[in-house]
């Protein structure tokens, strides 16, 4: 059975992973934003560098547990095997250093962005990664997108912008400089997201190693710059003075868990679906979180929201339609 057809309790894994991503993404922006902004007065803020490292560490532990279980079931778990799989000649570990470092920077920028932007603006501008991902898919995977698919990508971006423009009016405005810094952080994060995602997909689908092994490599190579540059060089003095876990509360752990769980789901989506479909799933999550806000925060559905949501749903439908003209031959590693 091909990877794309695998099932969980009878449901195709492709759709299970996409739906889970929609739900996870709905929570991420809100929890992360809240964790940066809502802290009791006179309390220290937590250090972003430690949060990024903790989330990478959680992913590493989970992925290692799954990998070890798989290897143990095959009766071949040993330290030698682990080292060979991770760093041996055929492990392709060097290729994994690139997305690891890109994701490390992107994960830090996400916190910068939510600090300066309101959650709604953050969510919409962050959707630009759908376009950067499509662009890198074309450039690096040799994927060709029909005109219909490009149209649906543009429509998607437009729809999301309308939905978000609507919600933004209720949020407090940040200063011009803060807005600029936030938008700059988001823009760079989108470019890194597209490049790292497509690079990871290419290595994953073009080589034999399991998803969990690849993610162990990813976490290891993100943890190294995270600890050296983030925790030691950037925040070394603060960590020595008030400790690694300064300013942590339940919201900090919520943001860390959301980022870690999100990373794992993204990995599954890229394996069982693809990077562009991932973008559509996260867009749907914006609508889902807005609908949840009706019940949670008395959010009012307006004309602009309805039009935007309609365009997003239509774009998603359009993207899913089969192309009438067969697509030209794809790159070997592109199996989706
Ligand atoms: O926003 P985007 O979808 O690009 O976010 C990707 C997130 O997923 C990053 O936080 C990255 O660390 C994580 N990730 C992961 N494992 C993968 C791919 C992405 O943990 N295989």
């Amino acid at each position: 059975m091909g990877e794309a057809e695998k099932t969980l309790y009878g449901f195709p894994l492709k759709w299970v992973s996409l739906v889970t991503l929609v739900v996870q993404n709905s929570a991420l922006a809100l929890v992360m934003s809240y964790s940066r902004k809502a802290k009791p007065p006179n309390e220290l803020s937590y250090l972003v560098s430690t949060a990024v490292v903790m989330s990478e560490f959680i992913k590493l532990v989970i992925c290692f547990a799954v990998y070890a279980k798989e290897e143990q079931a095959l009766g071949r778990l040993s330290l030698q095997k682990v080292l060979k799989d991770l760093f041996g000649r055929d492990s392709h570990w060097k290729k994994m250093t690139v997305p690891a470092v890109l994701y490390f920077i992107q994960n830090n920028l996400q916190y910068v962005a939510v600090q300066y932007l309101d959650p709604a603006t953050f969510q919409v501008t962050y959707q630009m990664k759908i376009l950067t991902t499509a662009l890198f898919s074309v450039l690096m995977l040799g994927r060709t997108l029909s005109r219909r698919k490009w149209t649906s990508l543009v429509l998607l971006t437009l729809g999301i912008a309308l939905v978000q423009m609507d919600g933004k009016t209720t949020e407090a405005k940040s200063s011009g400089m803060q807005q600029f810094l936030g938008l700059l952080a988001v823009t760079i994060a989108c470019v890194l997201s597209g490049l790292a995602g497509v690079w990871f997909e290419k290595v994953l689908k073009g080589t034999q190693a399991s998803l969990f092994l690849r993610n162990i490599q990813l976490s290891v190579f993100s943890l190294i710059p995270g600890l050296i540059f983030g925790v030691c060089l950037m925040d070394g003095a603060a960590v020595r003075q008030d400790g690694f876990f300064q300013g942590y509360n339940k919201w900090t752990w919520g943001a860390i868990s959301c980022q870690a769980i999100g990373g794992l789901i993204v990995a599954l989506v890229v394996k069982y679906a693809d990077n562009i479909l991932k973008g559509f799933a996260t867009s749907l999550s914006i609508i889902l979180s807005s609908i949840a806000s009706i019940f949670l925060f008395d959010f009012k559905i307006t004309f602009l929201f309805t039009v935007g949501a309609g365009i997003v749903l239509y774009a998603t439908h359009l993207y899913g339609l089969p192309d009438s003209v067969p697509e030209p031959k794809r790159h070997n590693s592109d199996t989706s």
Side-chain angles (χ1 to χ4, degrees):
M1 191 192 289
E3 293 293 2
E5 290 94 47
K6 284 198 177 154
T7 58
L8 182 73
Y9 299 115
F11 296 101
L13 260 179
K14 174 175 174 172
W15 295 110
V16 173
S17 59
L18 282 166
V19 170
T20 320
L21 184 66
V22 171
V23 175
Q24 180 274 339
N25 231 267
S26 308
L28 180 72
L30 294 173
V31 176
M32 205 182 238
S33 245
Y34 200 78
S35 77
R36 280 320 278 158
K37 288 172 186 164
K39 75 175 173 65
N42 308 327
E43 259 190 33
L44 290 172
S45 288
Y46 67 89
L47 300 169
V48 166
S49 59
T50 64
V52 171
V53 160
M54 279 316 295
S55 125
E56 241 14 277
F57 182 70
I58 292 171
K59 282 192 284 186
L60 178 64
V61 171
I62 295 174
C63 291
F64 188 79
V66 178
Y67 158 82
K69 202 166 164 250
E70 280 173 1
E71 291 298 312
Q72 201 166 31
L74 296 169
R76 56 184 194 194
L77 183 64
S78 68
L79 182 62
Q80 207 182 9
K81 174 82 170 57
V82 173
L83 291 175
K84 183 168 164 277
D85 279 353
L86 285 177
F87 307 113
R89 212 153 41 99
D90 298 323
S91 66
H92 296 280
W93 65 266
K94 283 184 201 149
K95 287 184 188 163
M96 294 305 293
T97 56
V98 176
V101 172
L102 297 180
Y103 275 139
F104 158 70
I105 303 172
Q106 183 200 345
N107 287 339
N108 278 280
L109 286 174
Q110 258 182 314
Y111 280 96
V112 176
V114 294
Q115 173 124 27
Y116 293 129
L117 301 173
D118 58 75
T121 311
F122 168 69
Q123 265 194 321
V124 69
T125 44
Y126 206 33
Q127 293 313 305
M128 293 302 145
K129 66 188 175 183
I130 300 173
L131 286 179
T132 57
T133 304
L135 214 64
F136 284 114
S137 296
V138 169
L139 292 176
M140 292 170 58
L141 296 178
R143 189 171 287 170
T144 48
L145 297 179
S146 61
R147 190 177 303 166
R148 179 192 283 155
K149 284 198 167 33
W150 281 115
T151 310
S152 67
L153 283 168
V154 173
L155 278 178
L156 176 80
T157 313
L158 182 80
I160 294 295
L162 289 180
V163 167
Q164 294 298 312
M165 243 185 249
D166 193 35
K168 242 171 68 176
T169 49
T170 56
E171 297 281 347
K173 290 261 178 293
S174 41
S175 83
M177 189 57 187
Q178 288 182 334
Q179 188 86 3
F180 173 75
L181 285 177
L183 289 177
L184 186 67
V186 145
T187 308
I188 301 173
C190 285
V191 175
L192 298 180
S193 163
L195 180 56
V198 172
W199 192 299
F200 182 81
E201 184 178 349
K202 187 167 176 162
V203 178
L204 185 71
K205 293 182 174 174
T207 53
Q208 290 297 315
S210 82
L211 170 72
F212 292 98
L213 188 74
R214 288 279 171 247
N215 255 56
I216 297 173
Q217 291 174 319
L218 206 56
S219 288
V220 168
F221 295 125
S222 284
L223 276 170
I224 294 172
L227 286 169
I228 296 178
F229 293 108
V231 178
C232 293
L233 292 180
M234 228 169 60
D235 290 328
V239 170
R240 273 191 297 280
Q241 190 174 331
D242 293 303
F244 186 92
F245 293 108
Q246 61 184 280
Y248 272 49
N249 58 29
K250 61 176 191 282
W251 290 102
T252 319
W253 287 110
I256 291 173
S257 316
C258 263
Q259 209 181 31
I261 294 167
L264 295 173
I265 305 170
V266 164
L268 289 172
V269 167
V270 171
K271 183 168 172 78
Y272 296 109
D274 70 51
N275 262 303
I276 301 181
L277 271 174
K278 181 196 86 180
F280 279 86
T282 50
S283 304
L284 287 180
S285 73
I286 294 185
I287 296 180
L288 191 75
S289 55
S290 304
I291 292 174
S293 308
I294 300 171
F295 301 101
L296 295 173
F297 309 113
D298 207 16
F299 179 79
K300 302 264 182 302
I301 288 213
T302 63
F303 179 68
L304 216 53
F305 176 86
T306 315
V307 173
I311 293 178
V312 169
L313 292 175
Y314 176 68
T316 310
H317 165 73
L318 199 64
Y319 191 87
L321 289 180
D323 290 320
S324 43
V325 184
E327 289 183 12
K329 198 170 170 285
R330 291 174 177 187
H331 192 280
N332 277 347
S333 60
D334 180 13
T335 55
S336 58

